[in-house]
Amino acid sequence: MSRFSRITGTGSFLPPRRLTNADLASELAAKGVETSDEWIVERTGIRARHFAEPDVYVSDLALHACRRALEAAGRGAGEIDLIVLATSTPDMVFPSAACILQHKLGVAGCPAFDVQAVCSGFVYALTVADAMIKTGTASKALVVGAEVFSRILDFSDRTTCVLFGDGAGAVVLEASDVPGILATDLHADGKHAGILCVPGHVSGGQVTGSPLLTMDGQAVFKLAVGVLEDAARAVLAKAGKTEADIDWLIPHQANIRIMQSTAKKLKLAPEKLVVTVDQHGNTSAASIPLALDVAVRSGKVKKGDTLMLEGVGGGFTWGAVLLDY
Ligand code: UT7
């Protein structure tokens, strides 16, 4: 009998501090940085984002999301035998945020590690966990995306600081006799590393280079639009499906224009696109599981629906996961 993996529960968490575009614009104006609600909405679709308080870490946001996912799956943390956490903003250089999360969940022993693929992190993490379940290495995994991008934003750079937010999303992924995850497709091209990066590194007792995010927005935009269509087509072909089989497109939530363009290229009705970027901003590795959980809890996504998850971001990395929920 074949062994597959299947999502049995979802959860998410947003830190309580919510800033609308107007709130952020007035904070930035006090620092001499000019922006507006109108510009942000028109160019990105973002209306609000959440920022964590300074003493809150990625593992804290992840913990809340995981507890909700475990509850939805009807599982206790002690039943989990794998933790994969996608993040680019871990609590510390090491140990991994996944290990810290494991301890906060009150468990020990199971493998726990971080996946670093920036905004593609969740589709990378889901692919790794799916493979580990299919090979019998694990049978009940927590797959998490969590970020505190507010920590790495340059609030004097209006071209980037209005785009990102903090949050976490998680799924419980379990071994199953029926799929589940139908196909996955991952890619990277390191020659584009410089267009979206935080170049600083810890060296000789200090941070060498800038510890803040820099991005060539237009270069990222152009690459994203192309590779998202390619990844979607590749994963459909691997699964022997067509665009018509997709019930919901849940792409990385970076910019509504990129998301709508992908939906259009796949000839999907606009209602099939799950959108949370308006309320969350770009939460990097957290954006897809956050959007998935919102869609599940609002009743949009139902058992048996076919979902196309797609990530794209720094690295350059991109990929897609097609699954039956
Ligand atoms: O998560 C990883 C994936 N990341 C992405 O997908 C991001 C992809 N890129 C984008 O979403 C878009 O390129 C941005 C939203 C970042 C920028 O949108 P754009 O339409 O490419 O704008 P632009 O960079 O061409 O800037 C247009 C104008 C410029 O002014 P001038 O030179 O035309 O006078 C900018 O200085 O908008 C100005 N501008 C702003 N104005 C008000 C840039 N940022 C702001 C701002 N508020 N926050």
Side-chain angles (χ1 to χ4, degrees):
M1 190 159 47
S2 297
R3 187 175 159 103
F4 300 97
S5 77
R6 185 165 202 135
I7 292 174
T8 56
T10 68
S12 63
F13 182 75
L14 292 160
R17 187 168 171 243
R18 179 177 183 270
L19 282 92
T20 63
N21 290 343
D23 297 332
L24 184 60
S26 75
E27 283 194 9
L28 293 174
K31 296 178 186 159
V33 177
E34 198 187 318
T35 188
S36 65
D37 175 54
E38 193 186 13
W39 189 94
I40 302 170
V41 171
E42 190 190 311
R43 301 294 177 119
T44 71
I46 297 167
R47 294 179 183 276
R49 77 285 293 138
H50 292 247
F51 285 160
E53 297 301 329
D55 60 344
V56 171
Y57 292 89
V58 140
S59 60
D60 298 313
L61 302 183
L63 176 64
H64 290 296
C66 286
R67 283 191 177 141
R68 289 174 182 174
L70 286 165
E71 193 185 358
R75 295 290 182 193
E79 295 177 84
I80 294 300
D81 58 11
L82 171 68
I83 299 173
V84 188
L85 170 54
T87 188
S88 299
T89 48
D91 297 19
M92 48 181 91
V93 173
F94 69 78
S96 68
C99 287
I100 299 168
L101 168 66
Q102 182 198 51
H103 184 60
K104 287 181 177 172
L105 281 164
V107 294
C110 73
F113 57 92
D114 290 357
V115 165
Q116 219 288 36
V118 202
C119 303
S120 309
F122 188 73
V123 292
Y124 266 68
L126 203 52
T127 301
V128 169
D130 172 57
M132 289 179 74
I133 286 176
K134 281 184 178 147
T135 56
T137 308
S139 60
K140 291 182 191 64
L142 266 171
V143 188
V144 196
E147 302 282 12
V148 282
F149 258 51
S150 59
R151 303 282 153 78
I152 52 167
L153 295 179
D154 177 354
F155 285 97
S156 67
D157 176 9
R158 68 178 183 173
T159 69
T160 53
C161 73
V162 301
L163 305 175
F164 296 91
D166 302 339
V171 302
V172 176
L173 190 73
E174 300 195 30
S176 162
D177 296 340
V178 289
I181 292 186
L182 301 170
T184 63
D185 185 63
L186 297 183
H187 300 276
D189 185 349
K191 78 168 171 281
H192 300 297
I195 63 172
L196 176 50
C197 60
V198 178
H201 59 279
V202 177
S203 171
Q206 50 195 346
V207 177
T208 301
S210 170
L212 300 175
L213 181 150
T214 82
M215 176 169 74
D216 176 344
Q218 288 187 358
V220 172
F221 195 106
K222 276 184 208 138
L223 272 171
V225 166
V227 298
L228 286 172
E229 184 187 6
D230 294 346
R233 296 207 183 283
V235 86
L236 284 170
K238 281 184 189 177
K241 302 268 184 186
T242 71
E243 297 101 312
D245 295 309
I246 301 171
D247 292 306
W248 298 101
L249 174 63
I250 310 183
H252 170 48
Q253 310 276 317
N255 185 318
I256 190 73
R257 292 185 288 144
I258 298 176
M259 295 159 59
Q260 286 171 340
S261 149
T262 308
K264 202 168 161 194
K265 286 180 173 179
L266 296 176
K267 297 187 183 66
L268 295 181
E271 312 82 72
K272 291 191 169 188
L273 179 63
V274 173
V275 177
T276 51
V277 68
D278 55 334
Q279 295 304 318
H280 301 166
N282 179 347
T283 58
S284 191
S287 90
I288 294 171
L290 257 165
L292 171 63
D293 186 50
V294 167
V296 167
R297 285 174 196 260
S298 69
K300 268 187 178 176
V301 167
K302 298 191 174 58
K303 280 276 166 230
D305 283 355
T306 299
L307 314 184
M308 169 75 79
L309 313 185
E310 285 206 279
V312 61
F316 210 68
T317 55
W318 66 99
V321 175
L322 190 74
L323 64 92
D324 283 346
Y325 180 73

